[in-house]
Amino acid sequence: QVQLVESGGGLVQPGGSLRLSCAASGSISSINAMGWYRQAPGKQRELVAVLSSGTSTRYGGSVKGRFTISRDNTKNTVYLQMNSLSPEDTADYYCNAVVTSAGTNEYYWGKGTRITVSS
């Protein structure tokens, strides 16, 4: 089992920055990848950024060049640095962890943190 707790959401003006944190606990050594997804009102959940084992990263097209995912293994925490935010980035942001066991992927989710980009 893996538990994920997000923090860092809130209200920010267009053009501003925020950093999200996701603290993992539980079976941390079994995590293969961690990342962030978001879901805007009336839309499907979409990939924001994923950090796989090692240093492999992948970003959603709309955030490339603006968002950066990173991790601190000493704190079991993954971060999402978000710059040049726009109203289109308004959404609930969810932390995700993937655990592979016996050839099967298990997906864990945090409860989410809301980001509102508005003047």
Side-chain angles (χ1 to χ4, degrees), residues 7-83:
S7 61
L11 174 65
V12 62
Q13 292 188 342
S17 298
L18 275 178
R19 189 178 78 158
L20 300 182
S21 301
C22 174
S25 61
S27 302
I28 296 173
S29 61
S30 61
I31 296 175
N32 291 331
M34 289 187 68
W36 293 92
Y37 289 74
R38 68 185 182 185
Q39 187 166 17
K43 295 187 177 181
Q44 291 187 333
R45 191 171 295 190
E46 64 175 358
L47 168 72
V48 176
V50 172
L51 180 61
S52 300
S53 56
T55 59
S56 176
T57 58
R58 182 162 58 99
Y59 293 92
S62 62
V63 307
K64 282 182 180 178
R66 299 188 299 124
F67 292 9
T68 302
I69 188 170
S70 63
R71 68 183 179 191
D72 184 339
N73 290 332
T74 65
K75 298 180 180 180
N76 300 320
T77 299
V78 169
Y79 303 98
L80 184 68
Q81 178 65 42
M82 303 179 291
N83 299 326

Side-chain angles (χ1 to χ4, degrees), residues 97-116:
V98 181
V99 172
T100 301
S101 176
T104 300
N105 285 337
E106 299 176 0
Y107 299 89
Y108 296 89
W109 296 92
K111 293 183 178 181
T113 185
R114 177 158 294 179
I115 292 176
T116 302

